[in-house]
Amino acid sequence: HTHTQNTHTHTHTHVTQPPPRHTMSIVSLLLAPTLGYVDRGILKLDNTTFDKIIDGSRAVIVRFDKEYAYGDEHDAWKDFAKKVGESSASLLSCDVGVSEYGDKDNADIAERFSIKTDDFPQYRLWLKGSGSDKSPVVYSGEKKSDAFLRFVQEKAGVWIGLPGQVKELDAIAKKFGTAADKTGLVAEAKALGMSDEAAKYYLKVMDKAAADGGFISKETARLQKMIDDGSVKPAKKEQFGRRLNVLSSFA
């Protein structure tokens, strides 16, 4: 019995021993480049650069999160930032990584905007013309790449291009809601002579929305409901997603 106990204690101490130092340094060497360079299109801010970058010269969207974020929401944000970075949109995607230990780096910035660590990740958009002293637009949608893209295109007026969207038709769609002469805009859209699936859907939406002012919101709700329905096939969901992207241009 005593013997077993000793072995047990022995095994136990062995498990809690830290790995040899040389292993740790190799691990940190391997990790260092990945931590620094994988996030294409993301600018990391701290309390010395925050106010300099958010100076109103362009739109800036900021994620407040714990210092080393990971998981699906993080991947969605990375995908979004990469798309924005590779587009010609005048928009910066930034990270404020808040450390919960030690010096609590950047906790002061989160506090300044009343963001609690329990609510991470949080997203705030400063529009062009608004410096960091102005209140940002709070994002409260789904933490998915396309949802972020729809949000910034709608609120910041930048064009990145989501699946299904066509830049020339988007420009017409943006004017559609407030236009007095909707038939004139439909004619302008038809004159572009595009006939692919995406273009056909824009024209269909314009025809319906010209006849029924509530069409956009009803159709958006209907498609969202289908996307959330577990029995709808993935290919169909993708098609509905492209259509939602088009509808967001009319918002």
Side-chain angles (χ1 to χ4, degrees), residues 60-182:
V60 182
I61 185 164
V62 180
R63 172 182 70 163
F64 292 81
D65 205 349
K66 51 183 180 290
E67 201 169 8
Y68 298 113
Y70 58 89
D72 291 349
E73 290 174 355
H74 175 61
D75 292 342
W77 172 250
K78 280 196 335 189
D79 183 63
F80 157 76
K82 183 171 177 281
K83 283 178 182 157
V84 172
E86 289 169 353
S87 76
S88 57
S90 179
L91 171 73
L92 275 180
S93 312
C94 299
D95 262 353
V96 169
V98 179
S99 146
E100 296 173 76
Y101 312 101
D103 294 339
K104 301 216 165 167
D105 290 335
N106 297 333
D108 53 334
I109 311 178
E111 277 163 26
R112 189 170 140 191
F113 299 102
S114 312
I115 295 170
K116 297 184 173 66
T117 47
D118 291 351
D119 300 330
F120 284 166
Q122 284 288 310
Y123 309 85
R124 300 288 184 271
L125 171 69
W126 277 267
L127 300 171
K128 187 176 178 176
S130 297
S132 56
D133 55 331
K134 299 281 190 294
S135 293
V137 183
V138 177
Y139 178 74
S140 54
E142 281 187 297
K143 294 170 178 118
K144 293 194 173 151
S145 179
D146 280 7
F148 293 137
L149 286 165
R150 281 199 286 269
F151 171 72
V152 295
Q153 287 198 157
E154 195 182 313
K155 302 288 181 202
V158 294
W159 201 83
I160 295 135
L162 286 141
Q165 290 183 330
V166 180
K167 192 168 189 177
E168 296 81 355
L169 289 166
D170 255 21
I172 298 170
K174 291 249 183 299
K175 297 184 275 190
F176 205 82
T178 52
D181 176 22
K182 290 188 175 23

